[in-house]
Amino acid sequence: MNQKKVLVTGIAGFIGSNLADRLIAAGHKVIGIDNLSYGLKEQIAPEAEFHKLDIRSKDIYPVFEGVDTVFHMAAKNCLSDCQRDPVDTADINVVGTVNVLEAAKRANVRKIIYAESSDVYSGLKTFPTTEEKMQPETFYADSKAAGHFFAQSYVKYHKMNIAGLRYFNVYGPRQDWRRTDRPIVSEFIIQLLRGEKPILYGEGERSKDYIYVDNINDFHLLAMENSFTNGQVYNLGSGIATSFKELLDATQKLLGTKVEPELRPSLSFGVERTEADISKARALGWKPKTSLEEGLKKSVDYIKKYVIPKL
Ligand SMILES: NC(=O)c1ccc[n+]([C@@H]2O[C@H](COP(=O)([O-])OP(=O)(O)OC[C@H]3O[C@@H](n4cnc5c(N)ncnc54)[C@H](O)[C@@H]3O)[C@@H](O)[C@H]2O)c1
């Protein structure tokens, strides 16, 4: 194995910390940056070299020296927090992203892989969604689309090897359940484990494409080494739209519960349906290996052990 020096921004967060574990297990040397605004220090692998820094600061530049690959995951990404504070959203997600790209350029980093989001499609009503058209519809989505255009210009003007990843609904251990709006997978598991009535908005018909965190880490490791990904963007989802009702039913089946959900009127906010066309990622030999059932089971185990005792 060819050991590489890999830098992960947002290393204390959900995806960044899981990615760091995978990179370390694969034999790489991992360096992490996070300002701990959302992430937790205890989630960072002890083997990683950690720098408590803000991605908007020029103090990050020296940390990029000698780095082979950068995974840029740090972001402000709770949708309702972003709607409430577009200035902070743009500052972290646009200025912060450009600062990371600039740091990578100055240090001659070989490859940069950064997080976009399926939310860049939030205004589109065609499914499954391909990578061709973006139509962002929230401040968070706008900030991710702006990051995309800056990355494309770094590719064009500085010949950098950059790949953008449009994650759909990623779930799994360490998903940030503390945020203002709890992600739905964690929300249902927590409500059922605590004996609370799960809440279903509308008829529970809103559908999302859920992807287990290890599945996207498989793609991260592949993209690091694969030059076809340079200058490209990829959808990373399961390719299956699962309704909130189906998700709740699958969670109840796993937990052996049969609680009647509390029905509330449809949410006026957010996307009604997401479903990824993942053929471009599949063409590289990647496929999501963990099923929703297996992924939910791992999420339940994690929440039982680490989340419920803290509530
Ligand atoms: N989780 C998903 O379903 C999902 C879906 C689409 C896109 N994404 C994107 O993937 C990336 C990772 O998401 P996540 O779910 O792990 O989020 P997360 O909130 O768990 O992790 C983000 C990390 O970035 C850190 N951070 C925030 N602002 C920072 C700053 N100014 N300087 C340094 N660190 C900062 C936070 O402390 C946190 O540890 C984000 O860019 C997000 O927008 C995630």
Side-chain angles (χ1 to χ4, degrees), residues 176-235:
D176 183 8
W177 52 273
R178 297 164 304 272
R179 63 173 57 174
T180 313
D181 295 320
R182 216 174 252 168
I184 192 80
V185 171
S186 295
E187 175 81 327
F188 283 156
I189 298 172
I190 291 171
Q191 286 168 334
L192 291 169
L193 285 175
R194 299 186 84 203
E196 295 166 0
K197 251 183 187 305
I199 296 162
L200 262 191
Y201 293 93
E203 297 298 310
E205 291 308 314
R206 190 174 271 207
S207 302
K208 294 284 165 84
D209 183 323
Y210 299 99
I211 176 95
Y212 187 64
V213 66
D214 273 357
N215 292 336
I216 65 164
N217 279 329
D218 289 340
F219 192 86
H220 288 141
L221 268 82
L222 181 157
M224 234 177 111
E225 306 294 348
N226 189 312
S227 59
F228 287 111
T229 62
N230 296 344
Q232 300 293 315
V233 289
Y234 293 89
N235 286 341

Short mmCIF file of all heavy atoms in Angstrom, two decimals, residues 176-235:
data_model
loop_
_atom_site.label_atom_id
_atom_site.label_comp_id
_atom_site.label_asym_id
_atom_site.label_seq_id
_atom_site.Cartn_x
_atom_site.Cartn_y
_atom_site.Cartn_z
N ASP A 176 -25.10 13.73 13.12
CA ASP A 176 -25.25 14.78 14.12
C ASP A 176 -26.71 14.94 14.57
O ASP A 176 -27.47 15.69 13.99
CB ASP A 176 -24.71 16.10 13.55
CG ASP A 176 -24.76 17.21 14.57
OD1 ASP A 176 -25.08 16.92 15.76
OD2 ASP A 176 -24.49 18.37 14.21
N TRP A 177 -27.04 14.25 15.65
CA TRP A 177 -28.41 14.29 16.19
C TRP A 177 -28.64 15.52 17.06
O TRP A 177 -29.76 15.81 17.46
CB TRP A 177 -28.67 13.03 17.03
CG TRP A 177 -27.62 12.80 18.08
CD1 TRP A 177 -26.44 12.13 17.89
CD2 TRP A 177 -27.60 13.28 19.42
NE1 TRP A 177 -25.69 12.15 19.04
CE2 TRP A 177 -26.38 12.85 20.00
CE3 TRP A 177 -28.50 14.02 20.19
CZ2 TRP A 177 -26.02 13.14 21.32
CZ3 TRP A 177 -28.14 14.31 21.51
CH2 TRP A 177 -26.91 13.87 22.05
N ARG A 178 -27.56 16.29 17.37
CA ARG A 178 -27.71 17.46 18.25
C ARG A 178 -28.19 18.69 17.49
O ARG A 178 -28.54 19.69 18.09
CB ARG A 178 -26.37 17.79 18.92
CG ARG A 178 -25.83 16.71 19.82
CD ARG A 178 -24.35 16.93 20.12
NE ARG A 178 -23.60 17.01 18.89
CZ ARG A 178 -23.08 15.96 18.26
NH1 ARG A 178 -23.18 14.77 18.77
NH2 ARG A 178 -22.45 16.11 17.12
N ARG A 179 -28.17 18.65 16.16
CA ARG A 179 -28.45 19.87 15.41
C ARG A 179 -29.91 20.33 15.54
O ARG A 179 -30.77 19.57 16.01
CB ARG A 179 -28.07 19.70 13.94
CG ARG A 179 -28.87 18.64 13.22
CD ARG A 179 -28.57 18.63 11.75
NE ARG A 179 -27.16 18.44 11.46
CZ ARG A 179 -26.67 18.27 10.25
NH1 ARG A 179 -27.48 18.27 9.20
NH2 ARG A 179 -25.39 18.09 10.05
N THR A 180 -30.18 21.57 15.12
CA THR A 180 -31.50 22.19 15.31
C THR A 180 -32.61 21.27 14.79
O THR A 180 -33.61 21.05 15.46
CB THR A 180 -31.55 23.56 14.60
OG1 THR A 180 -30.36 24.27 14.95
CG2 THR A 180 -32.77 24.36 14.99
N ASP A 181 -32.45 20.79 13.55
CA ASP A 181 -33.42 19.82 13.02
C ASP A 181 -32.71 18.48 12.93
O ASP A 181 -31.81 18.30 12.11
CB ASP A 181 -33.89 20.22 11.61
CG ASP A 181 -34.64 21.52 11.65
OD1 ASP A 181 -35.43 21.72 12.60
OD2 ASP A 181 -34.43 22.34 10.74
N ARG A 182 -33.15 17.55 13.78
CA ARG A 182 -32.51 16.24 13.80
C ARG A 182 -32.71 15.51 12.46
O ARG A 182 -33.86 15.48 11.97
CB ARG A 182 -33.20 15.44 14.90
CG ARG A 182 -32.29 14.54 15.64
CD ARG A 182 -33.05 13.93 16.79
NE ARG A 182 -32.65 14.47 18.06
CZ ARG A 182 -33.32 14.28 19.18
NH1 ARG A 182 -34.44 13.60 19.20
NH2 ARG A 182 -32.88 14.77 20.30
N PRO A 183 -31.67 14.92 11.87
CA PRO A 183 -31.87 14.16 10.64
C PRO A 183 -32.88 13.03 10.89
O PRO A 183 -32.88 12.42 11.97
CB PRO A 183 -30.49 13.59 10.32
CG PRO A 183 -29.52 14.39 11.13
CD PRO A 183 -30.27 14.89 12.32
N ILE A 184 -33.72 12.77 9.89
CA ILE A 184 -34.89 11.90 10.09
C ILE A 184 -34.55 10.48 10.54
O ILE A 184 -35.26 9.90 11.37
CB ILE A 184 -35.78 11.91 8.80
CG1 ILE A 184 -37.13 11.27 9.04
CG2 ILE A 184 -35.09 11.29 7.63
CD1 ILE A 184 -38.12 12.14 9.69
N VAL A 185 -33.45 9.90 10.04
CA VAL A 185 -33.10 8.52 10.44
C VAL A 185 -32.85 8.49 11.96
O VAL A 185 -33.41 7.66 12.68
CB VAL A 185 -31.85 8.01 9.66
CG1 VAL A 185 -31.38 6.68 10.23
CG2 VAL A 185 -32.17 7.87 8.17
N SER A 186 -32.03 9.41 12.45
CA SER A 186 -31.76 9.46 13.89
C SER A 186 -33.02 9.82 14.66
O SER A 186 -33.27 9.28 15.75
CB SER A 186 -30.67 10.51 14.20
OG SER A 186 -29.46 10.12 13.64
N GLU A 187 -33.81 10.72 14.10
CA GLU A 187 -35.04 11.17 14.78
C GLU A 187 -35.98 9.99 15.08
O GLU A 187 -36.40 9.80 16.22
CB GLU A 187 -35.73 12.20 13.87
CG GLU A 187 -37.07 12.69 14.35
CD GLU A 187 -36.96 13.79 15.40
OE1 GLU A 187 -36.01 13.75 16.19
OE2 GLU A 187 -37.84 14.65 15.44
N PHE A 188 -36.26 9.18 14.07
CA PHE A 188 -37.18 8.05 14.27
C PHE A 188 -36.60 7.06 15.29
O PHE A 188 -37.31 6.59 16.18
CB PHE A 188 -37.44 7.31 12.95
CG PHE A 188 -38.43 8.00 12.03
CD1 PHE A 188 -38.41 7.76 10.66
CD2 PHE A 188 -39.40 8.87 12.53
CE1 PHE A 188 -39.32 8.38 9.81
CE2 PHE A 188 -40.31 9.50 11.68
CZ PHE A 188 -40.26 9.26 10.32
N ILE A 189 -35.32 6.75 15.16
CA ILE A 189 -34.71 5.76 16.07
C ILE A 189 -34.78 6.27 17.51
O ILE A 189 -35.18 5.55 18.43
CB ILE A 189 -33.25 5.43 15.67
CG1 ILE A 189 -33.21 4.80 14.27
CG2 ILE A 189 -32.59 4.51 16.70
CD1 ILE A 189 -31.81 4.62 13.70
N ILE A 190 -34.42 7.54 17.70
CA ILE A 190 -34.41 8.11 19.06
C ILE A 190 -35.83 8.13 19.63
O ILE A 190 -36.06 7.71 20.77
CB ILE A 190 -33.78 9.53 19.06
CG1 ILE A 190 -32.27 9.43 18.75
CG2 ILE A 190 -34.01 10.25 20.39
CD1 ILE A 190 -31.58 10.76 18.51
N GLN A 191 -36.81 8.58 18.82
CA GLN A 191 -38.19 8.64 19.31
C GLN A 191 -38.68 7.26 19.73
O GLN A 191 -39.25 7.08 20.80
CB GLN A 191 -39.11 9.22 18.22
CG GLN A 191 -38.95 10.71 18.04
CD GLN A 191 -39.64 11.23 16.79
OE1 GLN A 191 -39.84 10.51 15.81
NE2 GLN A 191 -40.00 12.51 16.80
N LEU A 192 -38.42 6.26 18.89
CA LEU A 192 -38.92 4.90 19.20
C LEU A 192 -38.21 4.30 20.40
O LEU A 192 -38.84 3.68 21.26
CB LEU A 192 -38.79 3.99 17.97
CG LEU A 192 -39.73 4.35 16.81
CD1 LEU A 192 -39.35 3.59 15.54
CD2 LEU A 192 -41.19 4.05 17.17
N LEU A 193 -36.89 4.50 20.49
CA LEU A 193 -36.15 3.94 21.63
C LEU A 193 -36.56 4.59 22.95
O LEU A 193 -36.49 3.98 24.00
CB LEU A 193 -34.64 4.10 21.43
CG LEU A 193 -33.97 3.16 20.42
CD1 LEU A 193 -32.49 3.53 20.24
CD2 LEU A 193 -34.08 1.69 20.86
N ARG A 194 -37.01 5.84 22.88
CA ARG A 194 -37.42 6.53 24.10
C ARG A 194 -38.92 6.36 24.39
O ARG A 194 -39.46 7.00 25.29
CB ARG A 194 -37.10 8.03 24.00
CG ARG A 194 -35.62 8.29 23.84
CD ARG A 194 -35.34 9.76 23.87
NE ARG A 194 -35.20 10.24 25.23
CZ ARG A 194 -35.38 11.51 25.61
NH1 ARG A 194 -35.73 12.40 24.73
NH2 ARG A 194 -35.23 11.86 26.87
N GLY A 195 -39.60 5.56 23.56
CA GLY A 195 -41.02 5.32 23.78
C GLY A 195 -41.88 6.51 23.41
O GLY A 195 -43.02 6.65 23.88
N GLU A 196 -41.35 7.41 22.57
CA GLU A 196 -42.13 8.58 22.15
C GLU A 196 -42.85 8.25 20.85
O GLU A 196 -42.43 7.37 20.10
CB GLU A 196 -41.20 9.78 21.90
CG GLU A 196 -40.51 10.27 23.14
CD GLU A 196 -39.35 11.22 22.82
OE1 GLU A 196 -39.11 11.50 21.64
OE2 GLU A 196 -38.69 11.65 23.79
N LYS A 197 -43.92 9.02 20.56
CA LYS A 197 -44.64 8.83 19.30
C LYS A 197 -43.83 9.47 18.18
O LYS A 197 -43.53 10.66 18.25
CB LYS A 197 -45.99 9.57 19.39
CG LYS A 197 -47.20 8.66 19.49
CD LYS A 197 -48.45 9.53 19.48
CE LYS A 197 -49.70 8.75 19.73
NZ LYS A 197 -49.95 7.63 18.88
N PRO A 198 -43.49 8.69 17.15
CA PRO A 198 -42.80 9.33 16.02
C PRO A 198 -43.75 10.28 15.30
O PRO A 198 -44.96 10.03 15.25
CB PRO A 198 -42.41 8.16 15.12
CG PRO A 198 -43.16 6.98 15.59
CD PRO A 198 -43.68 7.25 16.97
N ILE A 199 -43.22 11.35 14.76
CA ILE A 199 -44.07 12.34 14.08
C ILE A 199 -43.91 12.20 12.57
O ILE A 199 -42.79 12.21 12.05
CB ILE A 199 -43.70 13.77 14.54
CG1 ILE A 199 -44.00 13.88 16.04
CG2 ILE A 199 -44.47 14.82 13.75
CD1 ILE A 199 -43.33 15.02 16.73
N LEU A 200 -45.05 12.04 11.88
CA LEU A 200 -45.03 11.93 10.42
C LEU A 200 -45.71 13.17 9.85
O LEU A 200 -46.86 13.46 10.19
CB LEU A 200 -45.82 10.72 9.95
CG LEU A 200 -45.09 9.42 9.62
CD1 LEU A 200 -46.05 8.47 8.93
CD2 LEU A 200 -43.85 9.65 8.76
N TYR A 201 -45.00 13.88 9.01
CA TYR A 201 -45.60 15.07 8.38
C TYR A 201 -46.29 14.67 7.10
O TYR A 201 -45.85 13.78 6.39
CB TYR A 201 -44.51 16.10 8.12
CG TYR A 201 -43.95 16.66 9.41
CD1 TYR A 201 -42.82 16.09 10.01
CD2 TYR A 201 -44.57 17.73 10.05
CE1 TYR A 201 -42.32 16.57 11.20
CE2 TYR A 201 -44.08 18.22 11.25
CZ TYR A 201 -42.95 17.64 11.83
OH TYR A 201 -42.47 18.12 13.00
N GLY A 202 -47.39 15.35 6.78
CA GLY A 202 -48.19 14.98 5.61
C GLY A 202 -48.65 13.55 5.81
O GLY A 202 -48.95 13.11 6.90
N GLU A 203 -48.68 12.80 4.77
CA GLU A 203 -49.05 11.39 4.90
C GLU A 203 -47.78 10.53 5.00
O GLU A 203 -47.82 9.33 4.81
CB GLU A 203 -49.87 10.95 3.68
CG GLU A 203 -51.19 11.68 3.51
CD GLU A 203 -52.14 11.43 4.68
OE1 GLU A 203 -52.34 10.27 5.05
OE2 GLU A 203 -52.65 12.42 5.25
N GLY A 204 -46.65 11.19 5.22
CA GLY A 204 -45.38 10.44 5.29
C GLY A 204 -44.89 10.08 3.90
O GLY A 204 -44.08 9.20 3.73
N GLU A 205 -45.40 10.83 2.90
CA GLU A 205 -45.06 10.49 1.51
C GLU A 205 -43.76 11.11 1.04
O GLU A 205 -43.20 10.72 0.03
CB GLU A 205 -46.19 10.91 0.56
CG GLU A 205 -47.47 10.11 0.72
CD GLU A 205 -47.25 8.60 0.66
OE1 GLU A 205 -46.52 8.15 -0.24
OE2 GLU A 205 -47.77 7.89 1.53
N ARG A 206 -43.27 12.14 1.76
CA ARG A 206 -42.01 12.76 1.35
C ARG A 206 -40.93 11.68 1.27
O ARG A 206 -40.82 10.86 2.20
CB ARG A 206 -41.65 13.84 2.38
CG ARG A 206 -40.51 14.70 1.96
CD ARG A 206 -40.29 15.83 2.94
NE ARG A 206 -41.08 17.00 2.60
CZ ARG A 206 -40.74 18.25 2.92
NH1 ARG A 206 -39.63 18.48 3.60
NH2 ARG A 206 -41.50 19.26 2.60
N SER A 207 -40.17 11.65 0.19
CA SER A 207 -39.21 10.54 -0.03
C SER A 207 -37.79 11.06 -0.17
O SER A 207 -37.56 12.09 -0.81
CB SER A 207 -39.55 9.79 -1.32
OG SER A 207 -40.84 9.30 -1.27
N LYS A 208 -36.87 10.31 0.40
CA LYS A 208 -35.46 10.70 0.30
C LYS A 208 -34.63 9.50 -0.12
O LYS A 208 -35.02 8.35 0.09
CB LYS A 208 -34.95 11.19 1.67
CG LYS A 208 -35.59 12.48 2.15
CD LYS A 208 -35.01 13.67 1.41
CE LYS A 208 -35.85 14.93 1.57
NZ LYS A 208 -35.59 15.69 2.74
N ASP A 209 -33.46 9.80 -0.68
CA ASP A 209 -32.52 8.76 -1.08
C ASP A 209 -31.48 8.65 0.04
O ASP A 209 -30.69 9.57 0.26
CB ASP A 209 -31.87 9.17 -2.40
CG ASP A 209 -30.93 8.12 -2.95
OD1 ASP A 209 -30.24 7.46 -2.14
OD2 ASP A 209 -30.86 7.98 -4.17
N TYR A 210 -31.52 7.54 0.78
CA TYR A 210 -30.63 7.35 1.94
C TYR A 210 -29.43 6.51 1.56
O TYR A 210 -29.57 5.48 0.91
CB TYR A 210 -31.39 6.66 3.09
CG TYR A 210 -32.57 7.47 3.55
CD1 TYR A 210 -33.85 7.17 3.10
CD2 TYR A 210 -32.39 8.55 4.40
CE1 TYR A 210 -34.94 7.94 3.49
CE2 TYR A 210 -33.48 9.32 4.80
CZ TYR A 210 -34.74 9.02 4.35
OH TYR A 210 -35.80 9.78 4.73
N ILE A 211 -28.26 6.97 2.02
CA ILE A 211 -27.03 6.23 1.71
C ILE A 211 -26.19 6.07 2.98
O ILE A 211 -25.97 7.05 3.70
CB ILE A 211 -26.23 6.93 0.56
CG1 ILE A 211 -24.90 6.25 0.27
CG2 ILE A 211 -25.97 8.40 0.82
CD1 ILE A 211 -24.95 5.27 -0.84
N TYR A 212 -25.76 4.85 3.24
CA TYR A 212 -25.01 4.57 4.46
C TYR A 212 -23.58 5.13 4.34
O TYR A 212 -22.97 5.06 3.27
CB TYR A 212 -24.98 3.05 4.71
CG TYR A 212 -24.36 2.69 6.03
CD1 TYR A 212 -24.96 3.09 7.22
CD2 TYR A 212 -23.17 1.98 6.09
CE1 TYR A 212 -24.38 2.78 8.44
CE2 TYR A 212 -22.60 1.66 7.31
CZ TYR A 212 -23.21 2.08 8.48
OH TYR A 212 -22.63 1.79 9.69
N VAL A 213 -23.07 5.64 5.45
CA VAL A 213 -21.79 6.37 5.43
C VAL A 213 -20.61 5.53 4.89
O VAL A 213 -19.75 6.06 4.19
CB VAL A 213 -21.50 6.98 6.84
CG1 VAL A 213 -21.27 5.92 7.89
CG2 VAL A 213 -20.37 7.98 6.80
N ASP A 214 -20.58 4.22 5.20
CA ASP A 214 -19.48 3.38 4.68
C ASP A 214 -19.50 3.30 3.16
O ASP A 214 -18.46 3.14 2.53
CB ASP A 214 -19.61 1.94 5.20
CG ASP A 214 -18.93 1.77 6.54
OD1 ASP A 214 -18.33 2.76 7.03
OD2 ASP A 214 -19.03 0.67 7.11
N ASN A 215 -20.72 3.37 2.61
CA ASN A 215 -20.84 3.31 1.14
C ASN A 215 -20.18 4.53 0.50
O ASN A 215 -19.53 4.41 -0.54
CB ASN A 215 -22.30 3.22 0.72
CG ASN A 215 -22.93 1.90 1.12
OD1 ASN A 215 -22.24 0.91 1.30
ND2 ASN A 215 -24.24 1.89 1.28
N ILE A 216 -20.35 5.70 1.11
CA ILE A 216 -19.70 6.86 0.50
C ILE A 216 -18.20 6.84 0.78
O ILE A 216 -17.41 7.30 -0.03
CB ILE A 216 -20.35 8.22 0.87
CG1 ILE A 216 -20.22 8.53 2.35
CG2 ILE A 216 -21.78 8.32 0.41
CD1 ILE A 216 -20.49 10.00 2.62
N ASN A 217 -17.80 6.23 1.90
CA ASN A 217 -16.35 6.11 2.15
C ASN A 217 -15.68 5.18 1.13
O ASN A 217 -14.52 5.40 0.77
CB ASN A 217 -16.09 5.64 3.58
CG ASN A 217 -16.16 6.81 4.55
OD1 ASN A 217 -15.85 7.94 4.17
ND2 ASN A 217 -16.59 6.55 5.77
N ASP A 218 -16.42 4.17 0.67
CA ASP A 218 -15.87 3.33 -0.42
C ASP A 218 -15.55 4.21 -1.62
O ASP A 218 -14.51 4.06 -2.25
CB ASP A 218 -16.89 2.26 -0.86
CG ASP A 218 -17.09 1.17 0.18
OD1 ASP A 218 -16.21 1.00 1.05
OD2 ASP A 218 -18.13 0.48 0.13
N PHE A 219 -16.48 5.14 -1.90
CA PHE A 219 -16.24 6.01 -3.07
C PHE A 219 -15.08 6.96 -2.80
O PHE A 219 -14.27 7.23 -3.70
CB PHE A 219 -17.50 6.80 -3.44
CG PHE A 219 -17.36 7.48 -4.78
CD1 PHE A 219 -17.68 6.79 -5.94
CD2 PHE A 219 -16.87 8.78 -4.89
CE1 PHE A 219 -17.51 7.39 -7.19
CE2 PHE A 219 -16.69 9.38 -6.13
CZ PHE A 219 -17.02 8.68 -7.28
N HIS A 220 -14.97 7.47 -1.57
CA HIS A 220 -13.86 8.38 -1.25
C HIS A 220 -12.52 7.72 -1.55
O HIS A 220 -11.63 8.33 -2.14
CB HIS A 220 -13.90 8.75 0.24
CG HIS A 220 -15.02 9.66 0.60
ND1 HIS A 220 -15.74 9.54 1.77
CD2 HIS A 220 -15.56 10.72 -0.04
CE1 HIS A 220 -16.65 10.49 1.82
NE2 HIS A 220 -16.57 11.21 0.73
N LEU A 221 -12.37 6.47 -1.12
CA LEU A 221 -11.09 5.79 -1.31
C LEU A 221 -10.82 5.53 -2.80
O LEU A 221 -9.69 5.66 -3.26
CB LEU A 221 -11.01 4.50 -0.48
CG LEU A 221 -10.39 4.77 0.89
CD1 LEU A 221 -11.38 5.31 1.88
CD2 LEU A 221 -9.71 3.54 1.45
N LEU A 222 -11.89 5.21 -3.50
CA LEU A 222 -11.75 4.98 -4.95
C LEU A 222 -11.36 6.29 -5.66
O LEU A 222 -10.44 6.32 -6.49
CB LEU A 222 -13.07 4.44 -5.47
CG LEU A 222 -13.25 4.08 -6.94
CD1 LEU A 222 -14.40 3.06 -7.06
CD2 LEU A 222 -13.56 5.25 -7.83
N ALA A 223 -12.05 7.38 -5.32
CA ALA A 223 -11.85 8.66 -6.01
C ALA A 223 -10.44 9.21 -5.81
O ALA A 223 -9.88 9.87 -6.68
CB ALA A 223 -12.88 9.68 -5.53
N MET A 224 -9.88 8.91 -4.64
CA MET A 224 -8.52 9.36 -4.32
C MET A 224 -7.51 8.91 -5.38
O MET A 224 -6.59 9.63 -5.75
CB MET A 224 -8.13 8.68 -3.00
CG MET A 224 -7.68 9.57 -1.93
SD MET A 224 -7.37 8.53 -0.48
CE MET A 224 -5.60 8.67 -0.41
N GLU A 225 -7.69 7.68 -5.84
CA GLU A 225 -6.70 7.07 -6.72
C GLU A 225 -7.09 7.15 -8.19
O GLU A 225 -6.30 6.80 -9.05
CB GLU A 225 -6.53 5.57 -6.36
CG GLU A 225 -6.23 5.28 -4.90
CD GLU A 225 -4.86 5.81 -4.48
OE1 GLU A 225 -4.05 6.18 -5.35
OE2 GLU A 225 -4.61 5.86 -3.25
N ASN A 226 -8.33 7.56 -8.48
CA ASN A 226 -8.84 7.42 -9.84
C ASN A 226 -8.81 8.76 -10.58
O ASN A 226 -9.55 9.68 -10.25
CB ASN A 226 -10.28 6.89 -9.76
CG ASN A 226 -10.81 6.50 -11.10
OD1 ASN A 226 -10.68 7.26 -12.06
ND2 ASN A 226 -11.38 5.32 -11.20
N SER A 227 -7.97 8.85 -11.62
CA SER A 227 -7.80 10.14 -12.30
C SER A 227 -9.02 10.51 -13.16
O SER A 227 -9.17 11.67 -13.55
CB SER A 227 -6.53 10.13 -13.14
OG SER A 227 -6.62 9.09 -14.08
N PHE A 228 -9.90 9.54 -13.45
CA PHE A 228 -11.12 9.88 -14.20
C PHE A 228 -12.01 10.85 -13.42
O PHE A 228 -12.84 11.53 -13.99
CB PHE A 228 -11.94 8.62 -14.53
CG PHE A 228 -11.30 7.77 -15.59
CD1 PHE A 228 -10.77 6.53 -15.26
CD2 PHE A 228 -11.23 8.21 -16.90
CE1 PHE A 228 -10.16 5.75 -16.24
CE2 PHE A 228 -10.63 7.43 -17.88
CZ PHE A 228 -10.10 6.19 -17.55
N THR A 229 -11.84 10.87 -12.10
CA THR A 229 -12.70 11.74 -11.28
C THR A 229 -12.25 13.21 -11.33
O THR A 229 -12.99 14.08 -10.87
CB THR A 229 -12.72 11.27 -9.80
OG1 THR A 229 -11.40 11.36 -9.26
CG2 THR A 229 -13.23 9.85 -9.66
N ASN A 230 -11.08 13.47 -11.89
CA ASN A 230 -10.57 14.85 -11.90
C ASN A 230 -11.50 15.77 -12.69
O ASN A 230 -11.84 15.50 -13.84
CB ASN A 230 -9.18 14.90 -12.53
CG ASN A 230 -8.16 14.13 -11.70
OD1 ASN A 230 -8.41 13.82 -10.54
ND2 ASN A 230 -7.01 13.83 -12.29
N GLY A 231 -11.91 16.87 -12.05
CA GLY A 231 -12.77 17.86 -12.71
C GLY A 231 -14.23 17.43 -12.80
O GLY A 231 -15.04 18.10 -13.42
N GLN A 232 -14.57 16.31 -12.17
CA GLN A 232 -15.93 15.76 -12.30
C GLN A 232 -16.76 15.95 -11.03
O GLN A 232 -16.21 16.16 -9.95
CB GLN A 232 -15.85 14.25 -12.57
CG GLN A 232 -15.10 13.88 -13.83
CD GLN A 232 -15.84 14.34 -15.08
OE1 GLN A 232 -17.04 14.17 -15.20
NE2 GLN A 232 -15.11 14.95 -16.00
N VAL A 233 -18.08 15.82 -11.16
CA VAL A 233 -18.96 15.75 -9.99
C VAL A 233 -19.73 14.43 -10.05
O VAL A 233 -20.02 13.93 -11.14
CB VAL A 233 -19.96 16.92 -9.88
CG1 VAL A 233 -19.25 18.21 -9.54
CG2 VAL A 233 -20.78 17.07 -11.15
N TYR A 234 -20.04 13.88 -8.87
CA TYR A 234 -20.73 12.59 -8.80
C TYR A 234 -21.88 12.65 -7.82
O TYR A 234 -21.74 13.20 -6.72
CB TYR A 234 -19.77 11.49 -8.33
CG TYR A 234 -18.69 11.21 -9.33
CD1 TYR A 234 -17.50 11.93 -9.30
CD2 TYR A 234 -18.87 10.28 -10.35
CE1 TYR A 234 -16.51 11.71 -10.25
CE2 TYR A 234 -17.88 10.05 -11.30
CZ TYR A 234 -16.71 10.77 -11.25
OH TYR A 234 -15.74 10.57 -12.19
N ASN A 235 -22.99 12.04 -8.19
CA ASN A 235 -24.07 11.80 -7.24
C ASN A 235 -23.70 10.60 -6.39
O ASN A 235 -23.30 9.56 -6.94
CB ASN A 235 -25.37 11.45 -7.97
CG ASN A 235 -26.02 12.64 -8.63
OD1 ASN A 235 -25.72 13.78 -8.28
ND2 ASN A 235 -26.90 12.38 -9.58
#
